[in-house]
């Protein structure tokens, strides 16, 4: 289809210093768990973005010196020229598709405890490192400042040699030495680098000038700056000093990359920032103070919202990290008139967990993310079918939808049978919970494409039993029948059922998802530690119930620390009046109460309850699979060649894992077993 002319402005080239970006789609720097440890995977992932039409593709933060390394986290490194070959892999992959390659150079200051290098961290003034390591950063003297300027200049020269077109000076997310110098709460110096704002900005200005002098003839110089920390008078604000900083440095960089700080705000989940372009109210002033182009972010997925940002003079370039992860081909789809095929980011931050857990990036919407090199997966291409056999997929949850879609893309005739009256399974059900409406995008993207395919038939309200599966005549059956939350309290903490559950009304998340909610004083026992316990607490308290959330962990929804949500979840629940009891577990249940035990002392306490909501573990709905699997003769007589269970029915997990296993099943269908053909690993060689 031809491109909608309304979006032509998005494809205009733009001059950035000495280089030209071919369009206005700009993949801003983002972490990914690949970094210096997996350079081939990194290059393939970034190259895929360029192939998908992003005009500029940038690295994650790239450390410029071992005095600023944040191990165990796996970021980029450009410590010296020995790192250049790994970076060339990325720049060559990006240039292959006519895109610009950008590198975000960083010195992390007291944000880096230097666990590997063991060099003393540095800061504007002496202070403990921001991590809990028993380490202090020393105050930088003038020699240290001179060295930092030298390191930055050399890193810029190395970046130019590696083939980068855009070189960043990075003062954002409260993670960088340059931002630390700007902030008076960290900078208590009395020399020319402290005191007044002009002095606190001096180091940034010097590095901008020296970086441009070193490489500005060929490379554009980008300045990434957090214009608001959302801390009011205690931090940098877009109504205060940030305006003065922009005014001071307005014409120094070739490109302003503006956002908010810290990372939890900049990459806020859709649960807490549901509106596309949510950073505009903080960053919109920048363009009025500089003649240089401005890029910003806001989890943009709608081309209409992108056009609006440009036409209203908010941004010149549409920045994206998470939307480019969810759909590396977003620009090309807009260019080709395929807007309805955009795989929209759901803002769940499962991508962020890769960096926080030091493992390769993953994505709920895009199961190929991070698999471009090691599995050779492409988000828009898949091998053709191996036979003319028809396939039956049972269950239309995230795994079933993804499996059916990819099998159809391979050319198979696919029948999708859903026992309920709507598609989507848990993605549909969970999207009705507070803050999770974007989860419906998992369903919408796949169901929309499936319904357009002539080789797909979809049947709702079609619960199939063993007899039906044996009679239908399908040679291949994939069961994506999901999972159910357990009702007996077993999970991570308890490995056997709780006693007394017959003495009190007991609920599970499935009950609430089905519309059956408890009333009165509700105790939630959250041994899941992801989002579900906190979301259900929010739902119940806003419905007027008195809620107590009990968790064996020391904090609420502990795993969401990796999705940058934990503090926001606990804060919201406290503000809503949810009583929170941490480091305790529910031990026994009696009529009208539950007994809790402290995880440290074993001491018990009793609290009153009208109902108990158990958020503990899930059981796979795999009874149908095992029943059929145990009848090989019946399967053979029915001509069934393949019987497979996928997604939560195979092993309950996150939405991302459900989609991933559905995709994996489709890729491996009529081929190698998924566990026999794992993936290629990067193995560092020995250097003599």
């Amino acid at each position: 289809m031809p491109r909608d002319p309304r979006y032509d402005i998005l494809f205009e080239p733009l001059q950035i210093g000495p280089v030209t970006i071919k369009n206005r789609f700009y993949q801003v720097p983002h972490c990914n768990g690949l970094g210096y440890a997996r350079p081939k995977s990194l290059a393939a992932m970034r190259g895929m973005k360029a192939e998908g039409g992003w005009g500029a593709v940038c690295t994650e933060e790239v450390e410029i010196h071992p005095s600023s390394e944040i191990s165990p986290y796996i970021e980029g490194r450009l410590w010296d020229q020995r790192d250049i070959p790994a970076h060339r892999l990325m720049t060559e992959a990006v240039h292959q598709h006519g895109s610009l390659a950008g590198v975000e150079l960083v010195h992390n200051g007291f944000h880096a405890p230097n666990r590997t290098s063991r060099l003393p961290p540095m800061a504007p003034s002496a202070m403990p490192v921001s991590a809990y390591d028993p380490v202090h950063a020393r105050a930088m003297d003038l020699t240290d400042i001179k060295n930092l300027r030298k390191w930055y200049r050399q890193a810029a020269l190395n970046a130019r040699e590696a083939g980068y077109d855009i070189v960043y000076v990075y003062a954002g997310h409260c993670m960088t030495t340059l931002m630390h110098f700007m902030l008076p709460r960290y900078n208590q110096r009395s020399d020319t680098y402290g005191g007044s704002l002009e002095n606190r900005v001096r180091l940034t200005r010097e590095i901008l000038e020296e970086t441009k002098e070193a490489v500005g003839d060929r490379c554009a110089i980008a300045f990434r700056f957090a214009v608001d920390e959302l801390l009011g008078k205690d931090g940098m604000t877009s109504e205060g000093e940030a305006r003065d900083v922009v005014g001071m440095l307005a014409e120094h960089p070739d490109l302003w990359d503006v956002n908010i700080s810290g990372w939890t705000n900049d990459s806020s989940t859709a649960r807490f920032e549901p509106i596309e372009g949510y950073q505009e109210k903080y960053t919109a002033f920048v363009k009025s103070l500089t003649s240089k182009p401005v890029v910003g972010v806001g989890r943009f997925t709608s081309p209409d919202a992108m056009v609006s940002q440009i036409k209203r003079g908010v941004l010149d370039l549409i920045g994206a990290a998470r939307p480019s992860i969810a759909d590396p081909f977003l620009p090309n789809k807009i260019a080709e008139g395929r807007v309805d095929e955009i795989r929209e980011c759901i803002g769940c931050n499962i991508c962020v967990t890769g960096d926080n857990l030091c493992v390769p990036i993953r994505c709920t919407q895009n199961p190929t993310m991070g698999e471009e090199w090691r599995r050779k997966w492409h988000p828009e291409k898949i091998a053709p079918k191996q036979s003319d056999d028809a396939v039956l997929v049972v269950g239309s949850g995230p795994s079933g939808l993804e499996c059916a879609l990819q099998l159809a893309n391979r050319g198979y005739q696919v029948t999708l049978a859903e026992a309920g009256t709507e598609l989507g399974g848990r993605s549909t059900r969970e999207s009705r919970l507070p803050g999770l409406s974007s989860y419906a995008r998992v369903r919408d993207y796949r169901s929309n494409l499936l319904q357009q395919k002539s080789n797909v038939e979809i049947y709702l309200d079609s619960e199939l039993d063993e007899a039906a599966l044996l009679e239908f005549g399908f040679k291949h059956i994939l069961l994506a029948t999901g999972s159910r939350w357990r009702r007996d309290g077993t999970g991570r903490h308890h490995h056997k059922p709780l006693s007394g559950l017959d003495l009190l009304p007991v609920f599970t998340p499935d009950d609430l998802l089905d519309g059956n909610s408890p009333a009165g004083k509700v105790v939630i026992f959250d041994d899941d530690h992801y989002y579900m316990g906190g979301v259900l607490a929010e739902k119940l308290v806003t419905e007027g119930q008195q809620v107590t959330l009990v968790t064996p962990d020391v904090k609420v929804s502990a795993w969401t620390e990796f999705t940058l949500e934990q503090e926001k979840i606990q804060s919201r629940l406290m503000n809503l009046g949810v009583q929170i009891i941490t480091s305790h577990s529910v031990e026994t249940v009696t009529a009208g109460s539950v007994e809790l035990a402290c995880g440290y002392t074993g001491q018990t306490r009793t609290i009153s309850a009208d109902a108990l909501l158990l958020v503990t573990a899930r059981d796979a709905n795999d009874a149908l699979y095992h029943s059929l699997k145990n009848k090989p003769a019946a399967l053979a007589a029915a001509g069934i060649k393949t019987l497979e269970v996928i997604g939560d029915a195979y092993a309950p997990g996150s939405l991302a894992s459900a989609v991933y296993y559905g995709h994996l099943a489709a890729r491996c269908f009529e081929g190698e077993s998924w566990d026999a053909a794992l993936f290629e690993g990067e193995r560092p060689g020995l250097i003599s």
Side-chain angles (χ1 to χ4, degrees), residues 412-470:
Y412 287 98
Q413 183 67 40
V414 178
T415 297
L416 178 62
E418 164 58 43
T421 57
E422 57 186 355
L423 299 175
R426 61 179 289 199
S427 63
T428 295
R429 288 154 59 81
E430 291 182 16
S431 71
R432 300 181 179 124
L433 294 174
L436 303 187
S437 61
S438 65
Y439 283 26
R441 291 178 171 183
V442 175
R443 172 202 64 209
D444 293 344
Y445 165 73
R446 291 161 179 84
S447 62
N448 173 56
L449 293 180
L450 282 167
Q451 290 167 10
Q452 296 178 43
K453 291 186 175 294
S454 60
N455 58 331
V456 174
E457 293 181 312
I458 299 174
Y459 295 92
L460 297 175
D461 201 14
S462 300
E463 185 168 359
L464 303 180
D465 57 17
E466 182 179 312
L469 294 179
L470 292 172

Side-chain angles (χ1 to χ4, degrees), residues 34-324:
L34 300 172
Y36 67 85
R38 303 176 179 96
K40 293 179 181 178
S41 296
L42 180 66
M45 182 268 286
R46 300 293 191 197
M48 193 66 73
K49 307 270 195 80
E51 182 184 341
W54 295 89
V57 179
C58 299
T59 65
E60 63 277 33
E61 65 171 57
V62 173
E63 302 163 359
I64 64 173
H65 193 265
S67 64
S68 166
E69 57 85 12
I70 58 172
S71 56
Y73 303 104
I74 304 171
E75 312 303 342
R77 284 182 178 170
L78 196 49
W79 289 358
D80 55 44
Q81 291 191 328
R82 289 171 294 182
D83 292 316
I84 291 176
H87 285 269
R88 279 206 187 105
L89 293 176
M90 178 196 148
T91 59
E92 290 170 358
V94 171
H95 290 157
Q96 182 180 348
H97 302 285
S99 301
L100 302 178
V103 59
E104 184 181 59
L105 302 179
V106 64
H107 192 278
N108 285 297
F110 76 93
H111 180 67
N114 296 337
R115 296 175 180 125
T116 295
S117 72
R118 299 183 70 177
L119 293 175
M122 297 186 295
S125 303
M127 64 187 68
V129 296
S130 59
Y132 285 160
D133 299 56
V135 173
H136 281 59
R138 61 184 179 82
M140 296 171 67
D141 60 23
L142 293 180
T143 299
D144 295 320
I145 291 174
K146 182 178 179 180
N147 285 337
L148 176 60
R149 291 165 59 184
K150 179 181 68 176
W151 297 336
Y152 224 108
R153 186 178 190 279
Q154 186 58 55
L157 291 169
N158 292 340
R160 182 180 66 181
E161 186 176 342
Y164 286 106
D165 309 288
I166 303 170
V167 175
Y168 267 80
V169 175
Y170 177 27
H173 297 119
C174 203
M175 296 178 179
T176 70
T177 299
L178 298 183
M179 189 169 184
H180 298 157
F181 265 84
M182 289 186 195
L183 299 172
R185 68 180 184 273
Y186 300 134
N187 184 344
Q188 288 98 44
R189 303 175 71 94
S190 57
D191 61 7
T192 56
Y193 289 94
S196 68
L197 178 62
E198 183 178 3
N199 282 354
R200 286 182 275 122
V201 175
R202 185 183 306 277
L203 179 58
T204 297
R205 191 190 72 245
E206 290 172 342
I207 288 179
L208 277 168
E209 291 171 348
E210 291 163 3
T211 303
K212 179 167 284 193
E213 185 276 330
V215 302
D217 59 329
R218 196 190 74 74
C219 302
I221 308 304
F223 180 45
R224 197 175 202 190
F225 177 49
V227 300
D228 207 304
E229 296 183 275
L230 278 60
L231 295 175
K233 61 181 177 61
D234 295 324
M236 184 74 71
T237 70
S238 55
E239 297 297 327
E241 286 195 336
R243 289 179 178 266
D244 297 325
V245 172
V246 176
M248 289 178 187
L249 302 176
E251 303 303 307
H252 281 70
D254 298 310
L255 173 69
W256 282 85
D257 181 342
V258 290
N259 58 13
I260 57 178
S261 183
W263 191 19
T264 58
N265 296 320
D266 185 29
S267 294
S268 182
T269 59
R271 180 174 173 185
F272 294 96
E273 290 289 355
I275 305 301
E276 190 170 349
Y278 63 93
Q279 296 197 25
E280 177 181 335
K281 60 184 175 183
Y282 304 106
T283 61
F285 76 91
V286 175
K287 268 191 63 62
S288 67
L289 299 179
T290 178
S291 66
K292 302 302 177 70
V294 177
V295 62
V297 295
R299 211 170 57 249
F300 295 110
T301 60
S302 163
D304 294 298
M306 299 175 193
V307 168
S308 173
Q309 291 281 310
I310 295 169
K311 287 189 172 181
R312 289 186 295 111
V314 179
L315 300 173
D316 298 292
L317 295 162
I318 302 302
R322 291 172 291 176
S324 75

Side-chain angles (χ1 to χ4, degrees), residues 607-638:
I607 60 174
S608 61
D610 297 317
L612 175 63
L613 171 57
L614 295 171
V615 187
T616 56
R618 286 180 285 154
D619 280 334
N621 292 332
D622 57 2
L624 181 59
Y625 168 75
H626 287 295
S627 177
L628 284 167
K629 195 71 174 176
N630 290 329
K631 297 180 174 65
L635 293 174

Side-chain angles (χ1 to χ4, degrees), residues 363-503:
C363 175
T364 297
Q365 282 283 62
N366 176 15
T368 70
M369 176 51 52
E371 304 287 5
E372 298 86 356
W373 181 79
R374 67 179 191 172
R375 286 194 188 270
K376 307 300 183 285
W377 285 1
H378 191 289
E380 304 298 317
K381 299 176 184 177
I382 193 167
K385 64 182 182 179
Q386 297 296 303
S387 73
D388 291 327
D389 291 348
V391 186
L392 172 64
V393 178
V394 180
S396 72
S399 196
L401 286 175
E402 176 66 15
C403 185
L405 176 60
Q406 299 307 330
L407 287 171
N409 286 339
R410 292 187 65 184
Y412 287 98
Q413 183 67 40
V414 178
T415 297
L416 178 62
E418 164 58 43
T421 57
E422 57 186 355
L423 299 175
R426 61 179 289 199
S427 63
T428 295
R429 288 154 59 81
E430 291 182 16
S431 71
R432 300 181 179 124
L433 294 174
L436 303 187
S437 61
S438 65
Y439 283 26
R441 291 178 171 183
V442 175
R443 172 202 64 209
D444 293 344
Y445 165 73
R446 291 161 179 84
S447 62
N448 173 56
L449 293 180
L450 282 167
Q451 290 167 10
Q452 296 178 43
K453 291 186 175 294
S454 60
N455 58 331
V456 174
E457 293 181 312
I458 299 174
Y459 295 92
L460 297 175
D461 201 14
S462 300
E463 185 168 359
L464 303 180
D465 57 17
E466 182 179 312
L469 294 179
L470 292 172
E471 292 172 3
F472 274 150
F474 286 98
K475 295 182 178 180
H476 305 281
I477 300 174
L478 292 95
L479 300 173
T481 44
S483 64
R484 299 289 290 180
W485 288 89
R486 293 190 65 127
R487 195 176 292 274
D488 60 2
T490 60
R492 289 176 174 84
H493 189 82
H494 292 300
H495 298 130
K496 59 182 181 181
L498 291 171
S499 61
L501 291 178
D502 57 332
L503 301 176

